[in-house]
mmCIF file with all atom_site columns, all heavy atoms in Angstrom:
data_model
loop_
_atom_site.group_PDB
_atom_site.id
_atom_site.type_symbol
_atom_site.label_atom_id
_atom_site.label_alt_id
_atom_site.label_comp_id
_atom_site.label_asym_id
_atom_site.label_entity_id
_atom_site.label_seq_id
_atom_site.pdbx_PDB_ins_code
_atom_site.Cartn_x
_atom_site.Cartn_y
_atom_site.Cartn_z
_atom_site.occupancy
_atom_site.B_iso_or_equiv
_atom_site.pdbx_formal_charge
_atom_site.auth_seq_id
_atom_site.auth_comp_id
_atom_site.auth_asym_id
_atom_site.auth_atom_id
_atom_site.pdbx_PDB_model_num
ATOM 1   N N   . ARG A 1 10  ? 13.555 28.582 -15.266 1.00 0.00 ? 10  ARG A N   1
ATOM 2   C CA  . ARG A 1 10  ? 13.368 28.978 -13.856 1.00 0.00 ? 10  ARG A CA  1
ATOM 3   C C   . ARG A 1 10  ? 14.176 28.062 -12.933 1.00 0.00 ? 10  ARG A C   1
ATOM 4   O O   . ARG A 1 10  ? 13.910 26.860 -12.888 1.00 0.00 ? 10  ARG A O   1
ATOM 5   C CB  . ARG A 1 10  ? 11.908 28.843 -13.459 1.00 0.00 ? 10  ARG A CB  1
ATOM 6   C CG  . ARG A 1 10  ? 10.988 29.694 -14.275 1.00 0.00 ? 10  ARG A CG  1
ATOM 7   C CD  . ARG A 1 10  ? 9.626  29.657 -13.651 1.00 0.00 ? 10  ARG A CD  1
ATOM 8   N NE  . ARG A 1 10  ? 8.659  30.348 -14.494 1.00 0.00 ? 10  ARG A NE  1
ATOM 9   C CZ  . ARG A 1 10  ? 7.400  30.518 -14.175 1.00 0.00 ? 10  ARG A CZ  1
ATOM 10  N NH1 . ARG A 1 10  ? 6.931  30.028 -13.044 1.00 0.00 ? 10  ARG A NH1 1
ATOM 11  N NH2 . ARG A 1 10  ? 6.577  31.162 -14.978 1.00 0.00 ? 10  ARG A NH2 1
ATOM 12  N N   . PRO A 1 11  ? 15.108 28.601 -12.174 1.00 0.00 ? 11  PRO A N   1
ATOM 13  C CA  . PRO A 1 11  ? 15.828 27.757 -11.203 1.00 0.00 ? 11  PRO A CA  1
ATOM 14  C C   . PRO A 1 11  ? 14.851 27.241 -10.136 1.00 0.00 ? 11  PRO A C   1
ATOM 15  O O   . PRO A 1 11  ? 14.043 28.024 -9.627  1.00 0.00 ? 11  PRO A O   1
ATOM 16  C CB  . PRO A 1 11  ? 16.858 28.707 -10.586 1.00 0.00 ? 11  PRO A CB  1
ATOM 17  C CG  . PRO A 1 11  ? 16.902 29.897 -11.473 1.00 0.00 ? 11  PRO A CG  1
ATOM 18  C CD  . PRO A 1 11  ? 15.577 29.986 -12.167 1.00 0.00 ? 11  PRO A CD  1
ATOM 19  N N   . LEU A 1 12  ? 14.904 25.977 -9.824  1.00 0.00 ? 12  LEU A N   1
ATOM 20  C CA  . LEU A 1 12  ? 13.980 25.427 -8.823  1.00 0.00 ? 12  LEU A CA  1
ATOM 21  C C   . LEU A 1 12  ? 14.420 25.860 -7.431  1.00 0.00 ? 12  LEU A C   1
ATOM 22  O O   . LEU A 1 12  ? 15.620 25.953 -7.138  1.00 0.00 ? 12  LEU A O   1
ATOM 23  C CB  . LEU A 1 12  ? 13.952 23.897 -8.906  1.00 0.00 ? 12  LEU A CB  1
ATOM 24  C CG  . LEU A 1 12  ? 13.527 23.290 -10.243 1.00 0.00 ? 12  LEU A CG  1
ATOM 25  C CD1 . LEU A 1 12  ? 13.338 21.776 -10.098 1.00 0.00 ? 12  LEU A CD1 1
ATOM 26  C CD2 . LEU A 1 12  ? 12.248 23.923 -10.773 1.00 0.00 ? 12  LEU A CD2 1
ATOM 27  N N   . GLN A 1 13  ? 13.426 26.084 -6.579  1.00 0.00 ? 13  GLN A N   1
ATOM 28  C CA  . GLN A 1 13  ? 13.722 26.528 -5.209  1.00 0.00 ? 13  GLN A CA  1
ATOM 29  C C   . GLN A 1 13  ? 12.707 25.978 -4.246  1.00 0.00 ? 13  GLN A C   1
ATOM 30  O O   . GLN A 1 13  ? 11.517 25.945 -4.567  1.00 0.00 ? 13  GLN A O   1
ATOM 31  C CB  . GLN A 1 13  ? 13.674 28.045 -5.137  1.00 0.00 ? 13  GLN A CB  1
ATOM 32  C CG  . GLN A 1 13  ? 15.029 28.638 -5.356  1.00 0.00 ? 13  GLN A CG  1
ATOM 33  C CD  . GLN A 1 13  ? 15.023 30.125 -5.465  1.00 0.00 ? 13  GLN A CD  1
ATOM 34  O OE1 . GLN A 1 13  ? 13.970 30.742 -5.500  1.00 0.00 ? 13  GLN A OE1 1
ATOM 35  N NE2 . GLN A 1 13  ? 16.212 30.685 -5.520  1.00 0.00 ? 13  GLN A NE2 1
ATOM 36  N N   . GLY A 1 14  ? 13.184 25.550 -3.069  1.00 0.00 ? 14  GLY A N   1
ATOM 37  C CA  . GLY A 1 14  ? 12.240 25.118 -2.040  1.00 0.00 ? 14  GLY A CA  1
ATOM 38  C C   . GLY A 1 14  ? 12.535 23.705 -1.587  1.00 0.00 ? 14  GLY A C   1
ATOM 39  O O   . GLY A 1 14  ? 13.654 23.209 -1.732  1.00 0.00 ? 14  GLY A O   1
ATOM 40  N N   . GLN A 1 15  ? 11.519 23.066 -1.015  1.00 0.00 ? 15  GLN A N   1
ATOM 41  C CA  . GLN A 1 15  ? 11.725 21.688 -0.581  1.00 0.00 ? 15  GLN A CA  1
ATOM 42  C C   . GLN A 1 15  ? 10.604 20.796 -1.069  1.00 0.00 ? 15  GLN A C   1
ATOM 43  O O   . GLN A 1 15  ? 9.488  21.237 -1.296  1.00 0.00 ? 15  GLN A O   1
ATOM 44  C CB  . GLN A 1 15  ? 11.896 21.608 0.929   1.00 0.00 ? 15  GLN A CB  1
ATOM 45  C CG  . GLN A 1 15  ? 10.798 22.241 1.753   1.00 0.00 ? 15  GLN A CG  1
ATOM 46  C CD  . GLN A 1 15  ? 11.129 22.133 3.213   1.00 0.00 ? 15  GLN A CD  1
ATOM 47  O OE1 . GLN A 1 15  ? 12.277 22.342 3.600   1.00 0.00 ? 15  GLN A OE1 1
ATOM 48  N NE2 . GLN A 1 15  ? 10.151 21.792 4.029   1.00 0.00 ? 15  GLN A NE2 1
ATOM 49  N N   . VAL A 1 16  ? 10.944 19.518 -1.209  1.00 0.00 ? 16  VAL A N   1
ATOM 50  C CA  . VAL A 1 16  ? 10.013 18.579 -1.821  1.00 0.00 ? 16  VAL A CA  1
ATOM 51  C C   . VAL A 1 16  ? 10.219 17.217 -1.162  1.00 0.00 ? 16  VAL A C   1
ATOM 52  O O   . VAL A 1 16  ? 11.339 16.883 -0.769  1.00 0.00 ? 16  VAL A O   1
ATOM 53  C CB  . VAL A 1 16  ? 10.269 18.550 -3.358  1.00 0.00 ? 16  VAL A CB  1
ATOM 54  C CG1 . VAL A 1 16  ? 11.661 18.067 -3.702  1.00 0.00 ? 16  VAL A CG1 1
ATOM 55  C CG2 . VAL A 1 16  ? 9.232  17.728 -4.086  1.00 0.00 ? 16  VAL A CG2 1
ATOM 56  N N   . THR A 1 17  ? 9.130  16.468 -1.010  1.00 0.00 ? 17  THR A N   1
ATOM 57  C CA  . THR A 1 17  ? 9.233  15.174 -0.323  1.00 0.00 ? 17  THR A CA  1
ATOM 58  C C   . THR A 1 17  ? 9.045  14.031 -1.314  1.00 0.00 ? 17  THR A C   1
ATOM 59  O O   . THR A 1 17  ? 8.168  14.066 -2.172  1.00 0.00 ? 17  THR A O   1
ATOM 60  C CB  . THR A 1 17  ? 8.168  15.094 0.795   1.00 0.00 ? 17  THR A CB  1
ATOM 61  O OG1 . THR A 1 17  ? 8.387  16.198 1.676   1.00 0.00 ? 17  THR A OG1 1
ATOM 62  C CG2 . THR A 1 17  ? 8.271  13.799 1.579   1.00 0.00 ? 17  THR A CG2 1
ATOM 63  N N   . LEU A 1 243 ? 14.654 14.306 -8.819  1.00 0.00 ? 243 LEU A N   1
ATOM 64  C CA  . LEU A 1 243 ? 14.434 15.649 -8.261  1.00 0.00 ? 243 LEU A CA  1
ATOM 65  C C   . LEU A 1 243 ? 15.765 16.354 -7.992  1.00 0.00 ? 243 LEU A C   1
ATOM 66  O O   . LEU A 1 243 ? 15.901 17.569 -8.202  1.00 0.00 ? 243 LEU A O   1
ATOM 67  C CB  . LEU A 1 243 ? 13.603 15.547 -6.979  1.00 0.00 ? 243 LEU A CB  1
ATOM 68  C CG  . LEU A 1 243 ? 12.144 15.103 -7.193  1.00 0.00 ? 243 LEU A CG  1
ATOM 69  C CD1 . LEU A 1 243 ? 11.498 14.700 -5.866  1.00 0.00 ? 243 LEU A CD1 1
ATOM 70  C CD2 . LEU A 1 243 ? 11.331 16.212 -7.869  1.00 0.00 ? 243 LEU A CD2 1
ATOM 71  N N   . ASP A 1 253 ? 18.088 25.630 -5.880  1.00 0.00 ? 253 ASP A N   1
ATOM 72  C CA  . ASP A 1 253 ? 18.410 25.522 -4.459  1.00 0.00 ? 253 ASP A CA  1
ATOM 73  C C   . ASP A 1 253 ? 17.278 24.728 -3.812  1.00 0.00 ? 253 ASP A C   1
ATOM 74  O O   . ASP A 1 253 ? 16.227 25.277 -3.488  1.00 0.00 ? 253 ASP A O   1
ATOM 75  C CB  . ASP A 1 253 ? 18.499 26.944 -3.875  1.00 0.00 ? 253 ASP A CB  1
ATOM 76  C CG  . ASP A 1 253 ? 19.057 26.944 -2.465  1.00 0.00 ? 253 ASP A CG  1
ATOM 77  O OD1 . ASP A 1 253 ? 19.136 25.860 -1.848  1.00 0.00 ? 253 ASP A OD1 1
ATOM 78  O OD2 . ASP A 1 253 ? 19.413 28.041 -1.988  1.00 0.00 ? 253 ASP A OD2 1
ATOM 79  N N   . VAL A 1 254 ? 17.473 23.423 -3.682  1.00 0.00 ? 254 VAL A N   1
ATOM 80  C CA  . VAL A 1 254 ? 16.359 22.537 -3.331  1.00 0.00 ? 254 VAL A CA  1
ATOM 81  C C   . VAL A 1 254 ? 16.772 21.547 -2.256  1.00 0.00 ? 254 VAL A C   1
ATOM 82  O O   . VAL A 1 254 ? 17.869 20.978 -2.301  1.00 0.00 ? 254 VAL A O   1
ATOM 83  C CB  . VAL A 1 254 ? 15.880 21.754 -4.594  1.00 0.00 ? 254 VAL A CB  1
ATOM 84  C CG1 . VAL A 1 254 ? 14.837 20.708 -4.236  1.00 0.00 ? 254 VAL A CG1 1
ATOM 85  C CG2 . VAL A 1 254 ? 15.319 22.704 -5.644  1.00 0.00 ? 254 VAL A CG2 1
ATOM 86  N N   . ARG A 1 255 ? 15.875 21.361 -1.287  1.00 0.00 ? 255 ARG A N   1
ATOM 87  C CA  . ARG A 1 255 ? 16.061 20.275 -0.308  1.00 0.00 ? 255 ARG A CA  1
ATOM 88  C C   . ARG A 1 255 ? 15.100 19.158 -0.664  1.00 0.00 ? 255 ARG A C   1
ATOM 89  O O   . ARG A 1 255 ? 13.887 19.380 -0.768  1.00 0.00 ? 255 ARG A O   1
ATOM 90  C CB  . ARG A 1 255 ? 15.733 20.765 1.108   1.00 0.00 ? 255 ARG A CB  1
ATOM 91  C CG  . ARG A 1 255 ? 16.845 21.577 1.740   1.00 0.00 ? 255 ARG A CG  1
ATOM 92  C CD  . ARG A 1 255 ? 16.395 22.099 3.072   1.00 0.00 ? 255 ARG A CD  1
ATOM 93  N NE  . ARG A 1 255 ? 16.502 21.098 4.122   1.00 0.00 ? 255 ARG A NE  1
ATOM 94  C CZ  . ARG A 1 255 ? 17.589 20.925 4.872   1.00 0.00 ? 255 ARG A CZ  1
ATOM 95  N NH1 . ARG A 1 255 ? 18.648 21.678 4.675   1.00 0.00 ? 255 ARG A NH1 1
ATOM 96  N NH2 . ARG A 1 255 ? 17.614 20.016 5.809   1.00 0.00 ? 255 ARG A NH2 1
ATOM 97  N N   . ARG A 1 418 ? 2.574  12.342 -9.202  1.00 0.00 ? 418 ARG A N   1
ATOM 98  C CA  . ARG A 1 418 ? 2.311  13.785 -9.324  1.00 0.00 ? 418 ARG A CA  1
ATOM 99  C C   . ARG A 1 418 ? 3.598  14.617 -9.516  1.00 0.00 ? 418 ARG A C   1
ATOM 100 O O   . ARG A 1 418 ? 3.816  15.604 -8.817  1.00 0.00 ? 418 ARG A O   1
ATOM 101 C CB  . ARG A 1 418 ? 1.552  14.284 -8.095  1.00 0.00 ? 418 ARG A CB  1
ATOM 102 C CG  . ARG A 1 418 ? 0.179  13.627 -7.936  1.00 0.00 ? 418 ARG A CG  1
ATOM 103 C CD  . ARG A 1 418 ? -0.627 14.288 -6.846  1.00 0.00 ? 418 ARG A CD  1
ATOM 104 N NE  . ARG A 1 418 ? -0.087 14.068 -5.524  1.00 0.00 ? 418 ARG A NE  1
ATOM 105 C CZ  . ARG A 1 418 ? -0.357 13.027 -4.780  1.00 0.00 ? 418 ARG A CZ  1
ATOM 106 N NH1 . ARG A 1 418 ? -1.167 12.082 -5.220  1.00 0.00 ? 418 ARG A NH1 1
ATOM 107 N NH2 . ARG A 1 418 ? 0.169  12.897 -3.584  1.00 0.00 ? 418 ARG A NH2 1
ATOM 108 N N   . LEU A 1 419 ? 4.428  14.193 -10.450 1.00 0.00 ? 419 LEU A N   1
ATOM 109 C CA  . LEU A 1 419 ? 5.704  14.898 -10.653 1.00 0.00 ? 419 LEU A CA  1
ATOM 110 C C   . LEU A 1 419 ? 5.482  16.368 -11.005 1.00 0.00 ? 419 LEU A C   1
ATOM 111 O O   . LEU A 1 419 ? 6.213  17.249 -10.544 1.00 0.00 ? 419 LEU A O   1
ATOM 112 C CB  . LEU A 1 419 ? 6.535  14.207 -11.742 1.00 0.00 ? 419 LEU A CB  1
ATOM 113 C CG  . LEU A 1 419 ? 7.935  14.780 -11.951 1.00 0.00 ? 419 LEU A CG  1
ATOM 114 C CD1 . LEU A 1 419 ? 8.815  14.580 -10.717 1.00 0.00 ? 419 LEU A CD1 1
ATOM 115 C CD2 . LEU A 1 419 ? 8.627  14.184 -13.163 1.00 0.00 ? 419 LEU A CD2 1
ATOM 116 N N   . GLU A 1 420 ? 4.443  16.639 -11.818 1.00 0.00 ? 420 GLU A N   1
ATOM 117 C CA  . GLU A 1 420 ? 4.234  18.029 -12.241 1.00 0.00 ? 420 GLU A CA  1
ATOM 118 C C   . GLU A 1 420 ? 3.906  18.909 -11.034 1.00 0.00 ? 420 GLU A C   1
ATOM 119 O O   . GLU A 1 420 ? 4.369  20.050 -10.937 1.00 0.00 ? 420 GLU A O   1
ATOM 120 C CB  . GLU A 1 420 ? 3.173  18.135 -13.346 1.00 0.00 ? 420 GLU A CB  1
ATOM 121 C CG  . GLU A 1 420 ? 1.721  17.944 -12.933 1.00 0.00 ? 420 GLU A CG  1
ATOM 122 C CD  . GLU A 1 420 ? 1.308  16.465 -12.847 1.00 0.00 ? 420 GLU A CD  1
ATOM 123 O OE1 . GLU A 1 420 ? 2.192  15.612 -12.627 1.00 0.00 ? 420 GLU A OE1 1
ATOM 124 O OE2 . GLU A 1 420 ? 0.106  16.170 -12.986 1.00 0.00 ? 420 GLU A OE2 1
ATOM 125 N N   . GLU A 1 421 ? 3.125  18.366 -10.078 1.00 0.00 ? 421 GLU A N   1
ATOM 126 C CA  . GLU A 1 421 ? 2.795  19.168 -8.881  1.00 0.00 ? 421 GLU A CA  1
ATOM 127 C C   . GLU A 1 421 ? 4.043  19.418 -8.047  1.00 0.00 ? 421 GLU A C   1
ATOM 128 O O   . GLU A 1 421 ? 4.248  20.504 -7.508  1.00 0.00 ? 421 GLU A O   1
ATOM 129 C CB  . GLU A 1 421 ? 1.750  18.444 -8.026  1.00 0.00 ? 421 GLU A CB  1
ATOM 130 C CG  . GLU A 1 421 ? 0.362  18.480 -8.643  1.00 0.00 ? 421 GLU A CG  1
ATOM 131 C CD  . GLU A 1 421 ? -0.635 17.650 -7.868  1.00 0.00 ? 421 GLU A CD  1
ATOM 132 O OE1 . GLU A 1 421 ? -0.464 17.485 -6.629  1.00 0.00 ? 421 GLU A OE1 1
ATOM 133 O OE2 . GLU A 1 421 ? -1.586 17.159 -8.493  1.00 0.00 ? 421 GLU A OE2 1
ATOM 134 N N   . LYS A 1 422 ? 4.875  18.378 -7.927  1.00 0.00 ? 422 LYS A N   1
ATOM 135 C CA  . LYS A 1 422 ? 6.099  18.548 -7.128  1.00 0.00 ? 422 LYS A CA  1
ATOM 136 C C   . LYS A 1 422 ? 7.009  19.593 -7.764  1.00 0.00 ? 422 LYS A C   1
ATOM 137 O O   . LYS A 1 422 ? 7.570  20.449 -7.071  1.00 0.00 ? 422 LYS A O   1
ATOM 138 C CB  . LYS A 1 422 ? 6.822  17.209 -6.978  1.00 0.00 ? 422 LYS A CB  1
ATOM 139 C CG  . LYS A 1 422 ? 6.055  16.238 -6.095  1.00 0.00 ? 422 LYS A CG  1
ATOM 140 C CD  . LYS A 1 422 ? 6.866  15.008 -5.745  1.00 0.00 ? 422 LYS A CD  1
ATOM 141 C CE  . LYS A 1 422 ? 6.013  14.044 -4.913  1.00 0.00 ? 422 LYS A CE  1
ATOM 142 N NZ  . LYS A 1 422 ? 6.754  12.896 -4.396  1.00 0.00 ? 422 LYS A NZ  1
ATOM 143 N N   . LEU A 1 423 ? 7.149  19.541 -9.088  1.00 0.00 ? 423 LEU A N   1
ATOM 144 C CA  . LEU A 1 423 ? 8.023  20.512 -9.757  1.00 0.00 ? 423 LEU A CA  1
ATOM 145 C C   . LEU A 1 423 ? 7.437  21.912 -9.665  1.00 0.00 ? 423 LEU A C   1
ATOM 146 O O   . LEU A 1 423 ? 8.156  22.891 -9.464  1.00 0.00 ? 423 LEU A O   1
ATOM 147 C CB  . LEU A 1 423 ? 8.238  20.104 -11.222 1.00 0.00 ? 423 LEU A CB  1
ATOM 148 C CG  . LEU A 1 423 ? 9.085  18.839 -11.424 1.00 0.00 ? 423 LEU A CG  1
ATOM 149 C CD1 . LEU A 1 423 ? 9.118  18.431 -12.897 1.00 0.00 ? 423 LEU A CD1 1
ATOM 150 C CD2 . LEU A 1 423 ? 10.517 19.028 -10.915 1.00 0.00 ? 423 LEU A CD2 1
ATOM 151 N N   . ARG A 1 424 ? 6.099  21.996 -9.788  1.00 0.00 ? 424 ARG A N   1
ATOM 152 C CA  . ARG A 1 424 ? 5.458  23.327 -9.670  1.00 0.00 ? 424 ARG A CA  1
ATOM 153 C C   . ARG A 1 424 ? 5.677  23.923 -8.287  1.00 0.00 ? 424 ARG A C   1
ATOM 154 O O   . ARG A 1 424 ? 5.915  25.110 -8.134  1.00 0.00 ? 424 ARG A O   1
ATOM 155 C CB  . ARG A 1 424 ? 3.959  23.222 -9.944  1.00 0.00 ? 424 ARG A CB  1
ATOM 156 C CG  . ARG A 1 424 ? 3.584  23.553 -11.368 1.00 0.00 ? 424 ARG A CG  1
ATOM 157 C CD  . ARG A 1 424 ? 2.142  24.006 -11.484 1.00 0.00 ? 424 ARG A CD  1
ATOM 158 N NE  . ARG A 1 424 ? 1.197  23.068 -10.933 1.00 0.00 ? 424 ARG A NE  1
ATOM 159 C CZ  . ARG A 1 424 ? 0.679  22.041 -11.574 1.00 0.00 ? 424 ARG A CZ  1
ATOM 160 N NH1 . ARG A 1 424 ? 1.029  21.811 -12.832 1.00 0.00 ? 424 ARG A NH1 1
ATOM 161 N NH2 . ARG A 1 424 ? -0.178 21.232 -11.007 1.00 0.00 ? 424 ARG A NH2 1
ATOM 162 N N   . SER A 1 425 ? 5.634  23.049 -7.255  1.00 0.00 ? 425 SER A N   1
ATOM 163 C CA  . SER A 1 425 ? 5.822  23.557 -5.890  1.00 0.00 ? 425 SER A CA  1
ATOM 164 C C   . SER A 1 425 ? 7.242  24.111 -5.713  1.00 0.00 ? 425 SER A C   1
ATOM 165 O O   . SER A 1 425 ? 7.515  24.860 -4.781  1.00 0.00 ? 425 SER A O   1
ATOM 166 C CB  . SER A 1 425 ? 5.548  22.455 -4.856  1.00 0.00 ? 425 SER A CB  1
ATOM 167 O OG  . SER A 1 425 ? 6.656  21.575 -4.806  1.00 0.00 ? 425 SER A OG  1
ATOM 168 N N   . LEU A 1 426 ? 8.140  23.742 -6.627  1.00 0.00 ? 426 LEU A N   1
ATOM 169 C CA  . LEU A 1 426 ? 9.516  24.269 -6.580  1.00 0.00 ? 426 LEU A CA  1
ATOM 170 C C   . LEU A 1 426 ? 9.691  25.452 -7.528  1.00 0.00 ? 426 LEU A C   1
ATOM 171 O O   . LEU A 1 426 ? 10.800 25.933 -7.743  1.00 0.00 ? 426 LEU A O   1
ATOM 172 C CB  . LEU A 1 426 ? 10.513 23.160 -6.953  1.00 0.00 ? 426 LEU A CB  1
ATOM 173 C CG  . LEU A 1 426 ? 10.562 21.947 -6.000  1.00 0.00 ? 426 LEU A CG  1
ATOM 174 C CD1 . LEU A 1 426 ? 11.435 20.846 -6.591  1.00 0.00 ? 426 LEU A CD1 1
ATOM 175 C CD2 . LEU A 1 426 ? 11.078 22.347 -4.620  1.00 0.00 ? 426 LEU A CD2 1
ATOM 176 N N   . GLY A 1 427 ? 8.583  25.891 -8.125  1.00 0.00 ? 427 GLY A N   1
ATOM 177 C CA  . GLY A 1 427 ? 8.641  27.085 -8.976  1.00 0.00 ? 427 GLY A CA  1
ATOM 178 C C   . GLY A 1 427 ? 8.724  26.810 -10.463 1.00 0.00 ? 427 GLY A C   1
ATOM 179 O O   . GLY A 1 427 ? 8.853  27.734 -11.257 1.00 0.00 ? 427 GLY A O   1
ATOM 180 N N   . ALA A 1 428 ? 8.676  25.544 -10.863 1.00 0.00 ? 428 ALA A N   1
ATOM 181 C CA  . ALA A 1 428 ? 8.770  25.243 -12.300 1.00 0.00 ? 428 ALA A CA  1
ATOM 182 C C   . ALA A 1 428 ? 7.439  25.566 -12.978 1.00 0.00 ? 428 ALA A C   1
ATOM 183 O O   . ALA A 1 428 ? 6.381  25.483 -12.354 1.00 0.00 ? 428 ALA A O   1
ATOM 184 C CB  . ALA A 1 428 ? 9.106  23.773 -12.513 1.00 0.00 ? 428 ALA A CB  1
ATOM 185 N N   . ALA A 1 429 ? 7.515  25.916 -14.252 1.00 0.00 ? 429 ALA A N   1
ATOM 186 C CA  . ALA A 1 429 ? 6.290  26.148 -15.033 1.00 0.00 ? 429 ALA A CA  1
ATOM 187 C C   . ALA A 1 429 ? 6.004  24.878 -15.836 1.00 0.00 ? 429 ALA A C   1
ATOM 188 O O   . ALA A 1 429 ? 6.451  24.724 -16.971 1.00 0.00 ? 429 ALA A O   1
ATOM 189 C CB  . ALA A 1 429 ? 6.488  27.346 -15.943 1.00 0.00 ? 429 ALA A CB  1
ATOM 190 N N   . VAL A 1 430 ? 5.300  23.949 -15.194 1.00 0.00 ? 430 VAL A N   1
ATOM 191 C CA  . VAL A 1 430 ? 4.978  22.662 -15.833 1.00 0.00 ? 430 VAL A CA  1
ATOM 192 C C   . VAL A 1 430 ? 3.475  22.456 -15.736 1.00 0.00 ? 430 VAL A C   1
ATOM 193 O O   . VAL A 1 430 ? 2.920  22.517 -14.638 1.00 0.00 ? 430 VAL A O   1
ATOM 194 C CB  . VAL A 1 430 ? 5.675  21.485 -15.105 1.00 0.00 ? 430 VAL A CB  1
ATOM 195 C CG1 . VAL A 1 430 ? 5.367  20.165 -15.801 1.00 0.00 ? 430 VAL A CG1 1
ATOM 196 C CG2 . VAL A 1 430 ? 7.171  21.696 -15.023 1.00 0.00 ? 430 VAL A CG2 1
#
Side-chain angles (χ1 to χ4, degrees):
R10 300 189 186 183
L12 301 189
Q13 267 173 353
Q15 54 182 42
V16 62
T17 302
L243 292 166
D253 190 347
V254 173
R255 281 176 81 90
R418 298 189 292 274
L419 185 65
E420 74 277 26
E421 287 174 28
K422 291 190 183 187
L423 291 174
R424 264 204 305 274
S425 77
L426 297 172
V430 182

